[in-house]
Amino acid sequence: LILCETIRMKKAILLSILILSVFICFGQSIESLSTIRLNKQKTGMLILGSWAALNIISSPILSRNSSGNMKYFHQMNGYWNSVNLVIAGVGYYTASGQLEGPLDWASAFNEQIKLEKILLFNAGLDIGYIGAGFYLAERSKTMVKNPDRLKGFGLSLILQGSFLLVFDSLFYLALKQTDSQWLELAQNVAIGPNGISMSFRF
């Protein structure tokens, strides 16, 4: 009897250790995927911030040495990227603090999907910026008062909108690369009448 009880205790201990290890590995998988997303977000914000800083620094210099519509083109580049620099700073700061606290699959994956939707929405806006730029450039041909400003601003919108469209599209595709891994984790989670259960393959 003592031997049987000892064997049962050992089995129970081993089973508890196995279950605990599985849950730890699951948590680490969520954390690792979240870390990948946040690192991509930080990289994206650094790229956006660098582009913005380059435009802000060069804009006054190029504007002073230019004339006609190009003078206004460089001015608008500086104005536009002042906003981009703020967005990049806030985005980087937000990504730096998102891993604080416990992580669960639903909330972690929701952050991924939310960011992907934002990027798709931004891509739509980018196309609108490009279209508005072409409209302003075309409208400048019939303007009597200061057509150079309208054309310069229009050309700037075309450039900045094109950059943002490429940026948002590549950022979106980079995030989509891990969607399948998130869904693989979801396959291990089942919600039933008795609560949440988890299945694992070995």
Side-chain angles (χ1 to χ4, degrees):
L1 290 175
I2 296 174
L3 180 60
C4 290
E5 286 297 325
T6 303
I7 293 174
R8 286 176 185 171
M9 287 181 62
K10 287 182 177 179
K11 286 183 177 180
I13 292 171
L14 287 173
L15 182 60
S16 299
I17 293 173
L18 178 60
I19 293 173
L20 180 61
S21 299
V22 166
F23 274 92
I24 290 173
C25 290
F26 185 77
Q28 287 176 338
S29 296
I30 294 173
E31 185 174 350
S32 63
L33 287 176
S34 295
T35 300
I36 290 172
R37 171 180 62 81
L38 293 173
N39 285 339
K40 288 180 179 180
Q41 187 173 340
K42 289 180 189 177
T43 301
M45 294 304 99
L46 286 174
I47 293 172
L48 180 61
S50 298
W51 170 261
L54 177 63
N55 278 269
I56 291 170
I57 293 171
S58 63
S59 175
I61 301 170
L62 295 173
S63 178
R64 281 196 300 268
N65 295 310
S66 301
S67 60
N69 62 71
M70 293 308 295
K71 178 181 181 69
Y72 296 103
F73 168 77
H74 294 302
Q75 285 181 359
M76 176 56 87
N77 287 340
Y79 302 150
W80 185 274
N81 281 283
S82 298
V83 178
N84 281 344
L85 189 61
V86 173
I87 293 173
V90 172
Y92 189 91
Y93 176 80
T94 302
S96 299
Q98 277 192 20
L99 271 183
E100 296 177 0
L103 290 172
D104 62 90
W105 182 89
S107 60
F109 185 56
N110 183 60
E111 290 296 326
Q112 169 102 357
I113 296 301
K114 184 168 67 175
L115 184 54
E116 289 178 5
K117 288 181 177 179
I118 290 172
L119 291 170
L120 284 178
F121 178 76
N122 286 348
L125 290 179
D126 300 336
I127 294 173
Y129 299 147
I130 296 170
F134 277 110
Y135 171 78
L136 292 179
E138 187 65 26
R139 186 81 173 82
S140 69
K141 296 177 181 178
T142 58
M143 288 289 291
V144 177
K145 185 178 179 181
N146 207 351
D148 285 337
R149 181 172 64 182
L150 204 61
K151 184 175 182 180
F153 285 178
L155 293 176
S156 176
L157 281 177
I158 294 171
L159 172 66
Q160 299 301 329
S162 299
F163 168 80
L164 290 175
L165 180 59
V166 172
F167 171 79
D168 289 328
S169 299
L170 292 178
F171 194 177
Y172 172 80
L173 292 174
L175 287 175
K176 290 293 289 184
Q177 290 176 349
T178 56
D179 275 5
S180 60
Q181 297 176 53
W182 280 108
L183 295 176
E184 285 176 10
L185 283 180
Q187 292 174 0
N188 297 325
V189 181
I191 302 176
N194 299 320
I196 299 175
S197 62
M198 302 175 68
S199 61
F200 297 87
R201 297 183 182 89
F202 296 93

